[in-house]
Amino acid sequence: MNVKWLYQDGLEHDPRFDRFHNTDSEREWEKNLNDPQKKALLDKFGWNPLPPDERCVGDRFLWNPDDPGINDWVELSYQINSHGFRGIEMPTEKKPRSIITIGCSTTMGIGMPVGQIWPTIVSNALKMRAYNLGKCAGSHDSSFRLLYGWLPRIRPAAVFFLEPPGIRYEMITNTFGYHNTSAMNPEPLPYRFETEDEWLLSREKTMRAIKSLCDQFNTPFYYTHQENDDEFFKYFDEHDQGRDLQHAGRKRHIFWGMKFLQMAGHEWDFET
């Protein structure tokens, strides 16, 4: 397996991302291979390479775990630009034939080849480049902050937001500095919310801020939440997982991509 983190400066390692990116490191993958249950999941979801005599060139992964074929190949690698986002370097001028995607590590696509994540699915269908602002452990707060900085520069054709799961927020303290955190965070940081109502009000406020920012630049804004299983199971029989066995797999990325495209006006003629 030759899965690398490729950074703009040519380095293959950056300690800023260790906490989350190492869930899909070679060491973690090899550790999972030694666990019979996790190895069975890696085989099931198509994250182990074919035997050497069945490969074409190098190490490849099966494309469709439900109907694997030796001609279905994808490479898994991560290209991180100088701003810490997955993908090519950020633009220095407006890009009207582009989209911006915001969210957490699921939007960034941890555990997934870049060609199979929902931002790529949407951008390919729209024939536009995707600037992926997905951030590991990202929250509604970080999504607004990043969009606030990049939307005026890029001026894309649309913004798509896959809301992060759970209760997440950003904290800035004199003692600990800047942190992404959540209601389950074990670090000794103060909680922002005492009740669920306070969190819901904060989410509503941030969503309105994102929508207002998009309205300011006449940019269509589409959003959905990761936790929409009732609709998901109309099309798929089960959740699958990415190579790290923690993040969403191909089926959920396909589902979110189709859902966003439907919001943007695309229609499909097929039976569920």
Side-chain angles (χ1 to χ4, degrees):
M1 307 286 277
N2 188 25
V3 180
K4 298 181 180 180
W5 292 94
L6 304 177
Y7 295 88
Q8 190 68 21
D9 55 8
L11 298 177
E12 295 178 8
H13 172 78
D14 189 322
R16 292 176 300 168
F17 303 99
D18 278 356
R19 178 180 173 188
F20 303 99
H21 294 183
N22 274 354
T23 64
D24 198 35
S25 68
E26 296 306 291
R27 183 176 61 182
E28 290 300 313
W29 174 71
E30 292 172 357
K31 185 191 302 182
N32 288 337
L33 283 180
N34 293 323
D35 182 318
Q37 290 183 328
K38 292 183 177 179
K39 182 182 183 301
L41 288 175
L42 289 169
D43 287 333
K44 176 181 179 180
F45 299 137
W47 295 120
N48 289 329
L50 292 170
D53 58 343
E54 296 182 24
R55 298 178 190 166
C56 290
V57 179
D59 292 335
R60 297 293 186 267
F61 305 93
L62 297 180
W63 157 245
N64 184 352
D66 293 332
D67 186 21
I70 61 174
N71 293 321
D72 297 328
W73 310 106
V74 280
E75 259 187 313
L76 177 53
S77 62
Y78 298 87
Q79 178 185 7
I80 309 299
N81 64 34
S82 61
H83 292 275
F85 303 122
R86 188 176 187 180
I88 64 170
E89 195 55 44
M90 300 301 287
T92 57
E93 57 186 13
K94 296 177 182 178
K95 296 291 183 180
R97 287 199 56 79
S98 71
I99 63 172
I100 285 179
T101 62
I102 52 178
C104 61
S105 53
T106 302
T107 295
M108 186 178 185
I110 298 299
M112 289 291 294
V114 69
Q116 297 179 11
I117 61 177
W118 72 261
T120 303
I121 293 172
V122 173
S123 64
N124 284 347
L126 297 178
K127 297 181 175 61
M128 297 182 182
R129 182 182 299 279
Y131 291 103
N132 189 343
L133 305 187
K135 176 180 175 58
C136 284
S139 62
H140 290 73
D141 296 332
S142 62
S143 297
F144 170 76
R145 176 173 55 80
L146 295 172
L147 188 65
Y148 183 75
W150 286 104
L151 181 60
R153 304 186 195 185
I154 299 176
R155 300 294 293 274
V159 171
F160 296 87
F161 181 28
L162 182 62
E163 292 189 60
I167 299 176
R168 301 185 182 187
Y169 47 91
E170 290 187 332
M171 294 293 296
I172 300 176
T173 70
N174 292 330
T175 304
F176 296 101
Y178 164 80
H179 284 262
N180 284 309
T181 188
S182 71
M184 302 300 293
N185 191 359
E187 296 183 43
L189 294 173
Y191 288 110
R192 263 182 66 181
F193 312 111
E194 294 292 338
T195 67
E196 184 177 1
D197 287 343
E198 291 179 350
W199 152 246
L200 293 174
L201 183 62
S202 176
R203 175 196 171 276
E204 181 70 19
K205 176 178 64 178
T206 309
M207 291 296 291
R208 287 175 179 267
I210 294 174
K211 179 63 165 60
S212 177
L213 180 63
C214 291
D215 288 345
Q216 178 182 346
F217 294 98
N218 298 315
T219 307
F221 172 56
Y222 308 98
Y223 69 92
T224 189
H225 201 278
Q226 295 187 33
E227 299 169 355
N228 42 20
D229 286 348
D230 289 344
E231 190 173 358
F232 174 86
F233 288 122
K234 293 179 181 178
Y235 305 98
F236 300 100
D237 56 350
E238 64 174 349
H239 286 159
D240 58 350
Q241 296 173 312
R243 195 187 84 136
D244 65 339
L245 300 181
Q246 296 185 35
H247 290 84
R250 300 172 179 89
K251 294 178 182 178
R252 280 184 280 180
H253 279 275
I254 291 171
F255 169 73
W256 292 321
M258 292 178 62
K259 188 172 181 64
F260 277 126
L261 287 168
Q262 191 174 40
M263 292 178 181
H266 286 244
E267 296 181 358
W268 293 270
D269 183 14
F270 62 88
E271 295 182 0
T272 60

